[in-house]
Amino acid sequence: MGVFENIIIILYLFLLGYLGFLGYKQTKNTADYLIAGRDTHPFIMALSYGATFISTAAIVGFGGVAAWLGNSLLWLTFFNIFVGIFVAFVFLGNPTRKMGYKLNAHTFPEFLGKRYDSKFIQIFGATIILIFMPLYATAVLIGGTQFLALYFHVDYHMALLLFSVIITAYVIAGGLKGVMLTDALQGSIMFIAMVILLFFTFDSLGGITQAYVKLQHVWEQTVAPLSQISLQQLQPGSPDFMMKLSMLWGFEGWDKMPQFLSQGWLFVITTITLGVGIGVLAQPQLVVRFMTVKSKKELNRAVLIGGIFILSMTGFIFIIGALTNAWYFEFNEGKNALQSAGSIGKIIPHFINTAMPKWFVFIFLFALISAAMSTLSSQFHTMGTAVGRDLIEPLIKKDLNSTLVTRIGIVVMISISVALAYAFNNEPAIIARSTAIFFALCASIFLPSFIGGLFWKRMTKTGAIASMFVGLIVSSFWLLFVHFKEAKSLGVCKALFGADSLLSGKIIFVDALIIALPLSILTAIIVSLMTKPLSQTHLKKCF
């Protein structure tokens, strides 16, 4: 590396250290450490929310999927902005903020537990987080570490150690204040890098109109001829096999939606669009952000900032991902993106290294590292609070130093995540599915109780608990034994029944959330109407 690269690295680390120290200096009590003192600026809150949501896997993974399946993924961008930002901030944000303040709740499990006057719900919520979020964090940790090791030519284990120590330092020292301040810095880097990348991509293809004309031409030249070849004639997992599979799923071009109700349509709409777009509403590390601002005004001001950020992070990378096919065809001997890069996960990194100037490759590396660090820091903080505030304190039933216990919890959960990252480095396929698993589980388990708790006074403790168990059982069954991605990757169904899925046909393309969430909602309503409501005194305290 040259002098320029070394200066940028030192400056970046200095800023992270300074912001972590600033968070430490501003942390005076438990509320400061756990929910950033309830007085966060809307700009910081919006960028922190967005940067926490968008990980390296979202940029590289979904960018690669967009190169494979095209701009149909833009429906996820629409849902992320409309549901994940507008609906979340405008309709859920302020009721969550107000109720969290009235109940003196500092975490998502504590919020649910106090709303339903149930220690069990608080402990159960913390347990779900502690079982599944480490796998989610490990997937992000592996992705970030692999990029560091590849670019700087260092040993994976050394990169993992340094990466983890840096994040641990500012999370433990600065609490949620430190996390949100560094998130804002990292989100800004991600935004700038994505805008530059979009400009370079369109410019290299002759502008917006020319780019999409070329994109359709590439499909006709590299994919359409596969209609004359059967899937059995192609090597499983090869680029041509994957493109032929997309055709069989109902895709007819990178700039078109797949055929209505085809396997591809069900995959894009239920798994990608609804699974992630709705699942975001019940993410514990995101819900807690609503409790970090002091009024509804700050939440409303954050909508525009958050919407623009999510548009640039998901919308831009989906557009760029699809257009890499046109770039590769024009500049790489008539091949599409998958044929050139070899696999979906390699498309975006290969495109950046091949098509972009060297100085931008270095900048984009920091965008990817920032995406990983912003997501991981929030995950580590959430897991730490789940250990300390939501598990140890309710079980021990003694007055403890919440900040100290949470810091110990953060160290424990980071250690577990790092150990998993060591163990699964060479076998990332199963662990990588944990992102989709975590989103589906959180929505199915938490969403009915969360929204019902905010808006329906008749929602009961028994209804909430029953809803959570139905969500957990149904979504787990669907993920383990039915859905074509998770069931095959996890291998439980294959081991027990000798088949990748218990069902067949289009139904196996339907996401677990689509099955489990309606049943969880129905359970919450029916059981609540059949059981004794909470006391008026408690409801008055909540509302």
Side-chain angles (χ1 to χ4, degrees), residues 124-438:
F124 178 76
T127 304
I128 293 296
I129 290 171
L130 295 177
I131 291 174
F132 294 103
M133 191 176 277
L135 301 177
Y136 180 18
T138 300
V140 180
L141 194 57
I142 289 173
T145 303
Q146 285 176 340
F147 276 105
L148 276 176
L150 184 64
Y151 188 88
F152 293 110
H153 304 290
V154 296
D155 178 66
Y156 170 85
H157 301 94
M158 180 60 68
L160 177 61
L161 179 63
L162 292 174
F163 196 38
S164 304
V165 167
I166 292 169
I167 299 172
T168 302
Y170 69 77
V171 174
I172 288 179
L176 194 56
K177 280 183 176 285
V179 169
M180 294 183 77
L181 288 171
T182 52
D183 282 352
L185 168 67
Q186 291 156 344
S188 300
I189 294 171
M190 292 157 63
F191 176 78
I192 292 169
M194 207 60 65
V195 170
I196 295 173
L197 181 59
L198 183 71
F199 173 80
F200 269 125
T201 303
F202 276 124
D203 184 64
S204 66
L205 293 171
I208 297 175
T209 303
Q210 277 296 105
Y212 280 100
V213 170
K214 292 176 180 178
L215 186 63
Q216 181 58 32
H217 176 69
V218 177
W219 178 275
E220 293 168 356
Q221 293 296 312
T222 65
V223 182
L226 295 173
S227 61
Q228 307 300 319
I229 303 173
S230 69
L231 193 65
Q232 290 71 25
Q233 292 176 274
L234 300 170
Q235 182 182 351
S238 68
D240 284 347
F241 178 90
M242 297 300 292
M243 294 314 306
K244 176 65 178 181
L245 191 63
S246 72
M247 295 180 72
L248 294 175
W249 283 5
F251 287 89
E252 299 174 328
W254 288 300
D255 57 350
K256 300 175 182 178
M257 280 294 291
Q259 296 170 12
F260 183 63
L261 291 182
S262 63
Q263 294 97 319
W265 189 93
L266 290 170
F267 178 61
V268 169
I269 298 301
T270 68
T271 299
I272 295 179
T273 303
L274 297 179
V276 177
I278 295 176
V280 67
L281 294 176
Q283 294 289 296
Q285 70 275 24
L286 297 179
V287 172
V288 76
R289 295 299 190 273
F290 300 141
M291 295 190 276
T292 64
V293 295
K294 62 182 178 181
S295 72
K296 183 179 180 180
K297 181 181 178 182
E298 276 72 25
L299 286 167
N300 291 338
R301 288 169 62 190
V303 171
L304 180 61
I305 301 166
I308 293 172
F309 181 82
I310 294 298
L311 173 65
S312 67
M313 288 299 104
T314 59
F316 287 7
I317 196 62
F318 296 162
I319 291 170
I320 292 163
L323 290 176
T324 58
N325 289 288
W327 189 90
Y328 277 116
F329 186 83
E330 187 165 330
F331 298 101
N332 194 37
E333 300 177 351
K335 297 179 180 179
N336 60 41
L338 202 50
Q339 290 169 338
S340 299
S343 67
I344 291 171
K346 294 179 180 179
I347 290 173
I348 296 300
H350 189 271
F351 175 69
I352 299 300
N353 284 317
T354 308
M356 297 296 118
K358 186 177 180 181
W359 63 267
F360 180 75
V361 175
F362 187 71
I363 298 299
F364 195 77
L365 169 76
F366 272 91
L368 294 178
I369 297 304
S370 294
M373 293 180 79
S374 59
T375 301
L376 284 167
S377 60
S378 295
Q379 290 172 332
F380 290 155
H381 185 271
T382 300
M383 290 187 289
T385 59
V387 171
R389 185 78 176 186
D390 300 316
L391 204 59
I392 294 177
E393 288 188 39
L395 291 175
I396 292 180
K397 299 179 181 179
K398 292 181 180 179
D399 289 332
L400 299 172
N401 185 329
S402 291
T403 302
L404 177 61
V405 175
T406 298
R407 282 175 169 151
I408 294 171
I410 290 171
V411 172
V412 171
M413 297 314 298
I414 288 177
S415 300
I416 292 173
S417 298
V418 170
L420 289 171
Y422 274 110
F424 285 96
N425 175 36
N426 295 320
E427 300 178 64
I430 294 176
I431 203 86
R433 300 306 309 163
S434 60
T435 303
I437 292 171
F438 189 71

Side-chain angles (χ1 to χ4, degrees), residues 80-149:
N80 282 341
I81 295 172
F82 180 70
V83 178
I85 298 294
F86 179 73
V87 171
F89 283 36
V90 174
F91 296 104
L92 304 183
N94 194 51
T96 304
R97 182 196 63 80
K98 288 172 64 178
M99 190 175 290
Y101 178 76
K102 289 178 180 179
L103 297 174
N104 194 31
H106 297 80
T107 69
F108 183 57
E110 185 180 24
F111 176 89
L112 292 177
K114 288 190 172 182
R115 164 60 180 88
Y116 296 107
D117 195 22
S118 170
K119 288 292 183 184
F120 174 81
I121 288 178
Q122 182 177 356
I123 293 170
F124 178 76
T127 304
I128 293 296
I129 290 171
L130 295 177
I131 291 174
F132 294 103
M133 191 176 277
L135 301 177
Y136 180 18
T138 300
V140 180
L141 194 57
I142 289 173
T145 303
Q146 285 176 340
F147 276 105
L148 276 176

